[in-house]
Amino acid sequence: MKTITIEGQLRSEYGKKATRQVRSEGQVPCVIYGGAETVSFSAPAVAFKNLVYTAEFQLAEIKLGTKTYKCVLKDLQFDTVTDELAHIDFLELVEDKPVSVSLPIKIVGQSEGVKAGGKLVVKIKALKVKALPKYLRENIEVNIDKLELNGNIRVEDVVAENIEITNSPRIPIASVVMTRQLRQEEAANEKDAKKK
């Protein structure tokens, strides 16, 4: 799994004034929680670019002095005026402690319904999951080979080993809908059949 390394500095001062000072230096205030201790630190805004502005699920390895923390991105805050990164929350990965994250869905296979002229519509792009850190992965594959015309693949159809999917089981992930051209062809065929 892809890991982004971020080098930061521990923060010793807190409060609005200290936070404003950190931001004015091009740094982003951050917090790591979920482990033995809560750690406040800051790092340059550019260090987060590949972690924040991507749809991929990645781990963050945060180096603060001599300590390194393995984390996942938990929450982001952006400045309402400038749209710059204002704050990041990280969740530390602890070996025997399950974490809740969103994993992107990767559609694989060739749908029967698409081969028949239908159009694939992807309804959701990620699944909420709960798993131990060692079972986390970049994405969850959803095979659409058996997806028929006017059919759906739902959350309950996804099989993921050692991972608990926490979305509602009835939510559709992808469906194949009939295209206008296919509807017109079917209507024309029905007219021809009635004429005979």
Side-chain angles (χ1 to χ4, degrees):
M1 185 175 321
K2 205 168 170 189
T3 303
I4 303 285
T5 304
I6 294 162
E7 292 191 26
Q9 299 82 39
L10 285 166
R11 286 178 61 199
S12 52
E13 292 180 36
Y14 307 101
K16 280 186 178 175
K17 188 178 177 193
T19 304
R20 258 199 303 272
Q21 178 64 34
V22 165
R23 287 192 188 117
S24 71
E25 294 165 2
Q27 305 270 323
V28 179
C30 307
V31 174
I32 300 172
Y33 62 90
E37 56 185 348
T38 300
V39 182
S40 293
F41 74 99
S42 63
V46 292
F48 300 108
K49 200 174 90 179
N50 294 336
L51 187 67
V52 173
Y53 301 103
T54 179
E56 291 176 19
F57 177 76
Q58 303 170 116
L59 298 180
E61 194 174 76
I62 299 167
K63 294 183 175 177
L64 304 172
T66 56
K67 277 189 161 185
T68 301
Y69 300 87
K70 242 191 177 2
C71 305
V72 288
L73 193 63
K74 202 62 186 162
D75 192 32
L76 296 168
Q77 290 169 8
F78 290 93
D79 187 292
T80 49
V81 178
T82 63
D83 215 24
E84 287 175 356
L85 207 47
H87 186 87
I88 302 181
D89 285 353
F90 287 99
L91 182 66
E92 188 178 348
L93 297 177
V94 181
E95 221 172 281
D96 56 351
K97 208 170 170 185
V99 291
S100 295
V101 295
S102 271
L103 291 182
I105 292 170
K106 182 182 180 186
I107 303 285
V108 293
Q110 186 68 45
S111 159
E112 292 294 327
V114 171
K115 287 179 192 168
K119 181 180 174 210
L120 179 70
V121 178
V122 178
K123 311 258 185 176
I124 55 173
K125 296 196 178 335
L127 288 172
K128 292 185 181 90
V129 301
K130 193 173 184 180
L132 289 171
K134 65 181 173 184
Y135 297 126
L136 291 177
R137 49 188 157 189
E138 285 178 30
N139 54 47
I140 291 183
E141 288 192 356
V142 175
N143 190 310
I144 60 167
D145 283 338
K146 293 183 174 73
L147 185 56
E148 300 282 339
L149 198 57
N150 296 326
N152 282 311
I153 284 188
R154 298 183 187 277
V155 170
E156 64 192 2
D157 302 324
V158 178
V159 178
E161 266 183 61
N162 302 314
I163 289 179
E164 177 193 340
I165 298 171
T166 57
N167 294 67
S168 170
R170 298 295 297 153
I171 294 175
I173 293 172
S175 59
V176 173
V177 296
M178 201 179 277
T179 59
R180 186 182 300 147
Q181 184 185 352
L182 201 59
R183 275 198 295 269
Q184 288 169 343
E185 285 171 15
E186 278 196 0
N189 290 344
E190 278 176 29
K191 278 184 189 171
D192 289 345
K194 284 178 184 172
K195 284 178 188 171
K196 289 174 187 172

